[in-house]
Amino acid sequence: MQKNVKTAFACWLRYTICAILAFFIYLSVSVITVGSFTDVIGYEARDSKTGETLYVYHYEDGEDTKAQEYKDKGIEIATLAIRNELAGTPKFFTVFISQLLALLMVVAFTHKRLWALGDSDANLVNFEHIEANKLRGLYIGLLAIIPNVISWLVVVASKLGIITDKVIYVFRLINYQLFSLVNLLFGETTISTVDVSWGAIVLCLLIFTVLPIICCVSYLLGFNRIRISEKLIYRKNDRG
C-alpha cells in the first residue's frame, strides 16, 4: 500500500508538471500559428508620450493621410500592427497540435515508471514472491488523480452556491493537461460556474479517466515485457 501511494504521488507530481508545460506549449503553438496564418491588416497610431490611441488605419482604406497631419503638429506617433483574428482552421490547428503534444507529454512522463513497476512485479511473480495483480497500475492511476477530482468537487460546491462561483480559472490550470476537453465542456471564456450546466460538470469526470488508463496500460505492458518502441522498429525492419 505504501509503495502504491508513493508511486501515485510521483505520477501526480509529473501530471501536474505536465499541466504547467501544456500551458507554455499552447502559448508557443499559438504564437507560431498567429505568425503563419494571420495577416497584418492595418495599424493603430498612438501618442508616444501618453499612449492614447489617435486613430486606427486599415490598409483597405487607401493612403494614410492622418499620419502626416499629426507629424506636422509635432506629435510623435507610434504604430501598432493590427492582425485579423485567429479563428476557424488556424484556431483548430492550434488547439489540436497543442493538445496532442500535451497528451504525448503525459504519456512520456508516466509510462516509464509504471512500465518498470510492471516489469519488476512480473519478476517477483515468477519467483512466487508476490501474487499477480494486473490491476495495480489502474489502482495507482486512480490514487494519482484524486487531487484533480478534488478540484472537480470544488466546482460542484461552487455550482451549489456553497463557495464562490469564480473557481473555473483554477480548475482550468490544475487540469490544463486536457485543456481542450475542459474548454469544450465549460466554454473557452467562461469564468463562472453559474454559466456551466450540470451536464457539462458531470461529463467533465471523463477527463479524470485519462491518467488511470495510461497508468493501467503502461503497467500491463511492463508486466508482459512489451515495448512499443521495439514493436515499431521491428515492424519497420520487416517492411524494409
Side-chain angles (χ1 to χ4, degrees):
M1 177 64 180
Q2 185 176 0
K3 187 174 181 179
N4 287 342
V5 173
K6 183 178 179 180
T7 304
F9 176 76
C11 289
W12 170 80
L13 189 60
R14 286 168 170 77
Y15 193 61
T16 302
I17 293 174
C18 286
I20 299 172
L21 296 178
F23 176 76
F24 289 104
I25 287 176
Y26 180 75
L27 289 181
S28 300
V29 175
S30 296
V31 170
I32 295 173
T33 306
V34 167
S36 303
F37 289 94
T38 62
D39 301 315
V40 177
I41 59 177
Y43 56 82
E44 294 178 347
R46 297 182 178 180
D47 188 318
S48 59
K49 296 180 180 179
T50 65
E52 178 186 358
T53 300
L54 302 175
Y55 68 95
V56 178
Y57 170 72
H58 295 89
Y59 294 134
E60 61 184 18
D61 295 337
E63 183 181 357
D64 180 12
T65 57
K66 291 187 177 181
Q68 188 60 46
E69 292 179 12
Y70 282 104
K71 290 179 181 178
D72 293 340
K73 294 178 182 179
I75 300 176
E76 296 182 6
I77 60 174
T79 58
L80 178 65
I82 302 175
R83 296 180 180 271
N84 51 7
E85 294 184 2
L86 183 63
T89 300
K91 181 68 174 181
F92 173 79
F93 177 83
T94 300
V95 173
F96 177 78
I97 295 299
S98 301
Q99 185 60 85
L100 179 61
L101 291 175
L103 188 57
L104 290 175
M105 183 170 57
V106 171
V107 174
F109 274 45
T110 309
H111 174 75
K112 185 177 180 180
R113 188 181 187 93
L114 269 296
W115 194 98
L117 180 62
D119 179 50
S120 174
D121 283 357
N123 287 327
L124 295 175
V125 170
N126 289 336
F127 288 103
E128 298 183 351
H129 292 310
I130 62 172
E131 293 184 2
N133 180 10
K134 294 186 177 182
L135 293 179
R136 186 181 183 188
L138 177 61
Y139 177 65
I140 290 173
L142 291 173
L143 286 175
I145 203 65
I146 286 177
N148 297 74
V149 175
I150 291 175
S151 71
W152 177 82
L153 292 175
V154 171
V155 172
V156 172
S158 174
K159 183 66 175 177
L160 291 172
I162 300 174
I163 59 176
T164 177
D165 62 327
K166 301 298 190 295
V167 298
I168 297 295
Y169 185 69
V170 176
F171 181 83
R172 290 184 198 277
L173 291 179
I174 294 175
N175 298 283
Y176 210 84
Q177 309 89 339
L178 297 166
F179 69 91
S180 65
L181 296 179
V182 175
N183 289 344
L184 180 64
L185 293 169
F186 286 178
E188 190 172 351
T189 59
T190 304
I191 60 175
S192 171
T193 52
V194 174
D195 301 320
V196 180
S197 68
W198 277 110
I201 291 176
V202 172
L203 285 175
C204 204
L205 285 170
L206 293 174
I207 71 174
F208 303 127
T209 64
V210 174
L211 182 60
I213 289 173
I214 293 174
C215 291
C216 180
V217 173
S218 298
Y219 179 85
L220 290 175
L221 289 174
F223 193 87
N224 293 286
R225 278 62 181 275
I226 299 174
R227 294 183 182 273
I228 302 298
S229 58
E230 292 181 357
K231 294 288 185 181
L232 294 175
I233 292 174
Y234 290 149
R235 180 175 296 181
K236 183 177 180 180
N237 291 337
D238 291 340
R239 290 180 179 177

mmCIF file of all heavy atoms in Angstrom, residues 165-194:
data_model
loop_
_atom_site.group_PDB
_atom_site.id
_atom_site.type_symbol
_atom_site.label_atom_id
_atom_site.label_comp_id
_atom_site.label_asym_id
_atom_site.label_seq_id
_atom_site.Cartn_x
_atom_site.Cartn_y
_atom_site.Cartn_z
ATOM 1 N N ASP A 165 -18.444 31.470 -7.076
ATOM 2 C CA ASP A 165 -18.639 30.887 -8.401
ATOM 3 C C ASP A 165 -17.426 31.104 -9.309
ATOM 4 O O ASP A 165 -17.400 30.626 -10.437
ATOM 5 C CB ASP A 165 -19.877 31.488 -9.067
ATOM 6 C CG ASP A 165 -19.744 32.991 -9.294
ATOM 7 O OD1 ASP A 165 -19.100 33.659 -8.468
ATOM 8 O OD2 ASP A 165 -20.286 33.486 -10.299
ATOM 9 N N LYS A 166 -16.400 31.805 -8.829
ATOM 10 C CA LYS A 166 -15.221 32.110 -9.650
ATOM 11 C C LYS A 166 -14.100 31.092 -9.387
ATOM 12 O O LYS A 166 -13.018 31.437 -8.890
ATOM 13 C CB LYS A 166 -14.715 33.525 -9.339
ATOM 14 C CG LYS A 166 -15.742 34.623 -9.578
ATOM 15 C CD LYS A 166 -16.171 34.684 -11.037
ATOM 16 C CE LYS A 166 -17.007 35.923 -11.335
ATOM 17 N NZ LYS A 166 -18.302 35.951 -10.629
ATOM 18 N N VAL A 167 -14.373 29.825 -9.697
ATOM 19 C CA VAL A 167 -13.363 28.778 -9.476
ATOM 20 C C VAL A 167 -12.955 28.089 -10.778
ATOM 21 O O VAL A 167 -12.072 27.238 -10.768
ATOM 22 C CB VAL A 167 -13.865 27.719 -8.472
ATOM 23 C CG1 VAL A 167 -14.143 28.350 -7.113
ATOM 24 C CG2 VAL A 167 -15.103 27.019 -9.010
ATOM 25 N N ILE A 168 -13.604 28.454 -11.883
ATOM 26 C CA ILE A 168 -13.326 27.803 -13.160
ATOM 27 C C ILE A 168 -11.877 28.007 -13.580
ATOM 28 O O ILE A 168 -11.234 27.090 -14.106
ATOM 29 C CB ILE A 168 -14.266 28.335 -14.266
ATOM 30 C CG1 ILE A 168 -15.715 27.995 -13.933
ATOM 31 C CG2 ILE A 168 -13.899 27.741 -15.621
ATOM 32 C CD1 ILE A 168 -16.016 26.520 -13.929
ATOM 33 N N TYR A 169 -11.366 29.201 -13.352
ATOM 34 C CA TYR A 169 -9.991 29.515 -13.764
ATOM 35 C C TYR A 169 -8.992 28.588 -13.082
ATOM 36 O O TYR A 169 -8.064 28.073 -13.718
ATOM 37 C CB TYR A 169 -9.670 30.974 -13.447
ATOM 38 C CG TYR A 169 -8.323 31.422 -13.935
ATOM 39 C CD1 TYR A 169 -8.061 31.564 -15.305
ATOM 40 C CD2 TYR A 169 -7.293 31.701 -13.037
ATOM 41 C CE1 TYR A 169 -6.819 31.972 -15.753
ATOM 42 C CE2 TYR A 169 -6.048 32.110 -13.482
ATOM 43 C CZ TYR A 169 -5.819 32.245 -14.839
ATOM 44 O OH TYR A 169 -4.584 32.641 -15.275
ATOM 45 N N VAL A 170 -9.174 28.370 -11.775
ATOM 46 C CA VAL A 170 -8.278 27.487 -11.023
ATOM 47 C C VAL A 170 -8.403 26.055 -11.530
ATOM 48 O O VAL A 170 -7.412 25.345 -11.694
ATOM 49 C CB VAL A 170 -8.593 27.554 -9.514
ATOM 50 C CG1 VAL A 170 -7.726 26.554 -8.743
ATOM 51 C CG2 VAL A 170 -8.372 28.959 -8.988
ATOM 52 N N PHE A 171 -9.637 25.639 -11.797
ATOM 53 C CA PHE A 171 -9.874 24.286 -12.307
ATOM 54 C C PHE A 171 -9.155 24.099 -13.647
ATOM 55 O O PHE A 171 -8.576 23.044 -13.905
ATOM 56 C CB PHE A 171 -11.376 24.048 -12.466
ATOM 57 C CG PHE A 171 -11.724 22.675 -12.957
ATOM 58 C CD1 PHE A 171 -11.809 21.610 -12.073
ATOM 59 C CD2 PHE A 171 -11.943 22.438 -14.314
ATOM 60 C CE1 PHE A 171 -12.120 20.329 -12.525
ATOM 61 C CE2 PHE A 171 -12.261 21.172 -14.772
ATOM 62 C CZ PHE A 171 -12.347 20.113 -13.878
ATOM 63 N N ARG A 172 -9.213 25.103 -14.512
ATOM 64 C CA ARG A 172 -8.539 25.019 -15.812
ATOM 65 C C ARG A 172 -7.035 24.805 -15.637
ATOM 66 O O ARG A 172 -6.423 23.973 -16.310
ATOM 67 C CB ARG A 172 -8.760 26.299 -16.622
ATOM 68 C CG ARG A 172 -10.154 26.525 -17.137
ATOM 69 C CD ARG A 172 -10.174 27.789 -17.988
ATOM 70 N NE ARG A 172 -11.507 28.298 -18.181
ATOM 71 C CZ ARG A 172 -12.344 27.857 -19.106
ATOM 72 N NH1 ARG A 172 -11.972 26.887 -19.909
ATOM 73 N NH2 ARG A 172 -13.552 28.379 -19.225
ATOM 74 N N LEU A 173 -6.435 25.577 -14.748
ATOM 75 C CA LEU A 173 -4.987 25.493 -14.542
ATOM 76 C C LEU A 173 -4.573 24.129 -14.007
ATOM 77 O O LEU A 173 -3.585 23.541 -14.469
ATOM 78 C CB LEU A 173 -4.526 26.597 -13.589
ATOM 79 C CG LEU A 173 -4.599 28.034 -14.113
ATOM 80 C CD1 LEU A 173 -4.133 29.009 -13.037
ATOM 81 C CD2 LEU A 173 -3.735 28.183 -15.372
ATOM 82 N N ILE A 174 -5.312 23.617 -13.037
ATOM 83 C CA ILE A 174 -4.975 22.329 -12.432
ATOM 84 C C ILE A 174 -5.100 21.197 -13.448
ATOM 85 O O ILE A 174 -4.335 20.231 -13.416
ATOM 86 C CB ILE A 174 -5.881 22.061 -11.212
ATOM 87 C CG1 ILE A 174 -5.579 23.079 -10.101
ATOM 88 C CG2 ILE A 174 -5.684 20.634 -10.690
ATOM 89 C CD1 ILE A 174 -6.503 22.972 -8.917
ATOM 90 N N ASN A 175 -6.059 21.331 -14.359
ATOM 91 C CA ASN A 175 -6.321 20.269 -15.335
ATOM 92 C C ASN A 175 -5.949 20.695 -16.760
ATOM 93 O O ASN A 175 -6.582 20.275 -17.729
ATOM 94 C CB ASN A 175 -7.793 19.874 -15.273
ATOM 95 C CG ASN A 175 -8.189 19.322 -13.919
ATOM 96 O OD1 ASN A 175 -7.893 18.176 -13.593
ATOM 97 N ND2 ASN A 175 -8.854 20.141 -13.119
ATOM 98 N N TYR A 176 -4.909 21.510 -16.880
ATOM 99 C CA TYR A 176 -4.549 22.052 -18.192
ATOM 100 C C TYR A 176 -3.953 20.997 -19.118
ATOM 101 O O TYR A 176 -3.775 21.242 -20.304
ATOM 102 C CB TYR A 176 -3.570 23.223 -18.035
ATOM 103 C CG TYR A 176 -3.711 24.249 -19.132
ATOM 104 C CD1 TYR A 176 -4.675 25.247 -19.034
ATOM 105 C CD2 TYR A 176 -2.917 24.215 -20.266
ATOM 106 C CE1 TYR A 176 -4.828 26.185 -20.034
ATOM 107 C CE2 TYR A 176 -3.072 25.148 -21.280
ATOM 108 C CZ TYR A 176 -4.023 26.129 -21.161
ATOM 109 O OH TYR A 176 -4.187 27.050 -22.165
ATOM 110 N N GLN A 177 -3.626 19.822 -18.587
ATOM 111 C CA GLN A 177 -3.126 18.739 -19.440
ATOM 112 C C GLN A 177 -4.146 18.404 -20.527
ATOM 113 O O GLN A 177 -3.775 17.977 -21.623
ATOM 114 C CB GLN A 177 -2.839 17.474 -18.624
ATOM 115 C CG GLN A 177 -1.983 17.693 -17.399
ATOM 116 C CD GLN A 177 -2.809 18.027 -16.170
ATOM 117 O OE1 GLN A 177 -3.963 18.473 -16.257
ATOM 118 N NE2 GLN A 177 -2.243 17.819 -15.007
ATOM 119 N N LEU A 178 -5.436 18.588 -20.225
ATOM 120 C CA LEU A 178 -6.519 18.274 -21.160
ATOM 121 C C LEU A 178 -7.391 19.520 -21.358
ATOM 122 O O LEU A 178 -8.612 19.472 -21.281
ATOM 123 C CB LEU A 178 -7.352 17.108 -20.631
ATOM 124 C CG LEU A 178 -6.569 15.785 -20.486
ATOM 125 C CD1 LEU A 178 -7.356 14.789 -19.661
ATOM 126 C CD2 LEU A 178 -6.232 15.196 -21.837
ATOM 127 N N PHE A 179 -6.725 20.636 -21.615
ATOM 128 C CA PHE A 179 -7.411 21.923 -21.688
ATOM 129 C C PHE A 179 -8.487 21.964 -22.773
ATOM 130 O O PHE A 179 -9.511 22.640 -22.628
ATOM 131 C CB PHE A 179 -6.403 23.051 -21.930
ATOM 132 C CG PHE A 179 -5.778 23.027 -23.297
ATOM 133 C CD1 PHE A 179 -6.338 23.733 -24.347
ATOM 134 C CD2 PHE A 179 -4.624 22.291 -23.535
ATOM 135 C CE1 PHE A 179 -5.778 23.706 -25.608
ATOM 136 C CE2 PHE A 179 -4.048 22.260 -24.792
ATOM 137 C CZ PHE A 179 -4.632 22.978 -25.836
ATOM 138 N N SER A 180 -8.274 21.243 -23.872
ATOM 139 C CA SER A 180 -9.248 21.302 -24.971
ATOM 140 C C SER A 180 -10.593 20.699 -24.553
ATOM 141 O O SER A 180 -11.651 21.208 -24.928
ATOM 142 C CB SER A 180 -8.709 20.568 -26.202
ATOM 143 O OG SER A 180 -8.562 19.178 -25.953
ATOM 144 N N LEU A 181 -10.548 19.619 -23.768
ATOM 145 C CA LEU A 181 -11.786 18.996 -23.292
ATOM 146 C C LEU A 181 -12.493 19.885 -22.269
ATOM 147 O O LEU A 181 -13.719 20.003 -22.273
ATOM 148 C CB LEU A 181 -11.496 17.627 -22.686
ATOM 149 C CG LEU A 181 -10.944 16.568 -23.643
ATOM 150 C CD1 LEU A 181 -10.680 15.264 -22.903
ATOM 151 C CD2 LEU A 181 -11.922 16.326 -24.791
ATOM 152 N N VAL A 182 -11.698 20.521 -21.398
ATOM 153 C CA VAL A 182 -12.280 21.430 -20.406
ATOM 154 C C VAL A 182 -12.950 22.607 -21.108
ATOM 155 O O VAL A 182 -14.066 22.994 -20.772
ATOM 156 C CB VAL A 182 -11.199 21.932 -19.426
ATOM 157 C CG1 VAL A 182 -11.793 22.966 -18.468
ATOM 158 C CG2 VAL A 182 -10.610 20.777 -18.635
ATOM 159 N N ASN A 183 -12.271 23.169 -22.115
ATOM 160 C CA ASN A 183 -12.843 24.295 -22.862
ATOM 161 C C ASN A 183 -14.088 23.879 -23.636
ATOM 162 O O ASN A 183 -15.035 24.654 -23.779
ATOM 163 C CB ASN A 183 -11.803 24.868 -23.826
ATOM 164 C CG ASN A 183 -10.699 25.607 -23.104
ATOM 165 O OD1 ASN A 183 -10.838 25.959 -21.934
ATOM 166 N ND2 ASN A 183 -9.598 25.844 -23.782
ATOM 167 N N LEU A 184 -14.069 22.655 -24.151
ATOM 168 C CA LEU A 184 -15.214 22.152 -24.904
ATOM 169 C C LEU A 184 -16.451 22.039 -24.016
ATOM 170 O O LEU A 184 -17.568 22.370 -24.422
ATOM 171 C CB LEU A 184 -14.888 20.790 -25.515
ATOM 172 C CG LEU A 184 -15.998 20.112 -26.336
ATOM 173 C CD1 LEU A 184 -16.324 20.940 -27.571
ATOM 174 C CD2 LEU A 184 -15.578 18.698 -26.739
ATOM 175 N N LEU A 185 -16.251 21.590 -22.782
ATOM 176 C CA LEU A 185 -17.363 21.383 -21.863
ATOM 177 C C LEU A 185 -17.790 22.668 -21.147
ATOM 178 O O LEU A 185 -18.982 22.931 -20.981
ATOM 179 C CB LEU A 185 -16.995 20.318 -20.832
ATOM 180 C CG LEU A 185 -16.809 18.895 -21.375
ATOM 181 C CD1 LEU A 185 -16.194 17.995 -20.309
ATOM 182 C CD2 LEU A 185 -18.134 18.319 -21.845
ATOM 183 N N PHE A 186 -16.814 23.451 -20.718
ATOM 184 C CA PHE A 186 -17.119 24.641 -19.917
ATOM 185 C C PHE A 186 -17.208 25.924 -20.740
ATOM 186 O O PHE A 186 -17.768 26.908 -20.275
ATOM 187 C CB PHE A 186 -16.050 24.826 -18.835
ATOM 188 C CG PHE A 186 -16.159 23.850 -17.699
ATOM 189 C CD1 PHE A 186 -15.246 23.863 -16.665
ATOM 190 C CD2 PHE A 186 -17.178 22.911 -17.658
ATOM 191 C CE1 PHE A 186 -15.345 22.966 -15.616
ATOM 192 C CE2 PHE A 186 -17.287 22.012 -16.613
ATOM 193 C CZ PHE A 186 -16.364 22.040 -15.587
ATOM 194 N N GLY A 187 -16.637 25.891 -21.950
ATOM 195 C CA GLY A 187 -16.574 27.122 -22.724
ATOM 196 C C GLY A 187 -15.227 27.780 -22.515
ATOM 197 O O GLY A 187 -14.724 27.849 -21.389
ATOM 198 N N GLU A 188 -14.661 28.281 -23.583
ATOM 199 C CA GLU A 188 -13.291 28.808 -23.516
ATOM 200 C C GLU A 188 -13.163 30.068 -22.678
ATOM 201 O O GLU A 188 -12.135 30.310 -22.055
ATOM 202 C CB GLU A 188 -12.792 29.079 -24.935
ATOM 203 C CG GLU A 188 -11.318 29.410 -25.024
ATOM 204 C CD GLU A 188 -10.825 29.487 -26.446
ATOM 205 O OE1 GLU A 188 -11.586 29.127 -27.359
ATOM 206 O OE2 GLU A 188 -9.672 29.919 -26.658
ATOM 207 N N THR A 189 -14.198 30.879 -22.639
ATOM 208 C CA THR A 189 -14.108 32.159 -21.930
ATOM 209 C C THR A 189 -14.933 32.187 -20.643
ATOM 210 O O THR A 189 -14.992 33.220 -19.970
ATOM 211 C CB THR A 189 -14.595 33.301 -22.849
ATOM 212 O OG1 THR A 189 -15.952 33.057 -23.243
ATOM 213 C CG2 THR A 189 -13.718 33.398 -24.090
ATOM 214 N N THR A 190 -15.545 31.071 -20.283
ATOM 215 C CA THR A 190 -16.382 31.024 -19.083
ATOM 216 C C THR A 190 -15.541 31.153 -17.821
ATOM 217 O O THR A 190 -14.517 30.485 -17.676
ATOM 218 C CB THR A 190 -17.174 29.698 -19.018
ATOM 219 O OG1 THR A 190 -17.940 29.562 -20.209
ATOM 220 C CG2 THR A 190 -18.091 29.672 -17.813
ATOM 221 N N ILE A 191 -15.960 32.016 -16.912
ATOM 222 C CA ILE A 191 -15.224 32.204 -15.655
ATOM 223 C C ILE A 191 -16.087 31.906 -14.430
ATOM 224 O O ILE A 191 -15.585 31.858 -13.309
ATOM 225 C CB ILE A 191 -14.658 33.633 -15.539
ATOM 226 C CG1 ILE A 191 -15.805 34.657 -15.575
ATOM 227 C CG2 ILE A 191 -13.646 33.896 -16.643
ATOM 228 C CD1 ILE A 191 -15.342 36.081 -15.334
ATOM 229 N N SER A 192 -17.389 31.715 -14.640
ATOM 230 C CA SER A 192 -18.302 31.484 -13.520
ATOM 231 C C SER A 192 -19.031 30.157 -13.690
ATOM 232 O O SER A 192 -19.472 29.812 -14.787
ATOM 233 C CB SER A 192 -19.321 32.629 -13.427
ATOM 234 O OG SER A 192 -20.337 32.324 -12.483
ATOM 235 N N THR A 193 -19.178 29.437 -12.596
ATOM 236 C CA THR A 193 -19.898 28.162 -12.645
ATOM 237 C C THR A 193 -21.394 28.370 -12.885
ATOM 238 O O THR A 193 -22.098 27.426 -13.236
ATOM 239 C CB THR A 193 -19.704 27.384 -11.333
ATOM 240 O OG1 THR A 193 -20.036 28.227 -10.222
ATOM 241 C CG2 THR A 193 -18.278 26.908 -11.177
ATOM 242 N N VAL A 194 -21.859 29.583 -12.716
ATOM 243 C CA VAL A 194 -23.264 29.886 -12.994
ATOM 244 C C VAL A 194 -23.579 29.626 -14.461
ATOM 245 O O VAL A 194 -24.690 29.220 -14.817
ATOM 246 C CB VAL A 194 -23.575 31.361 -12.634
ATOM 247 C CG1 VAL A 194 -25.005 31.722 -13.058
ATOM 248 C CG2 VAL A 194 -23.393 31.598 -11.139
#
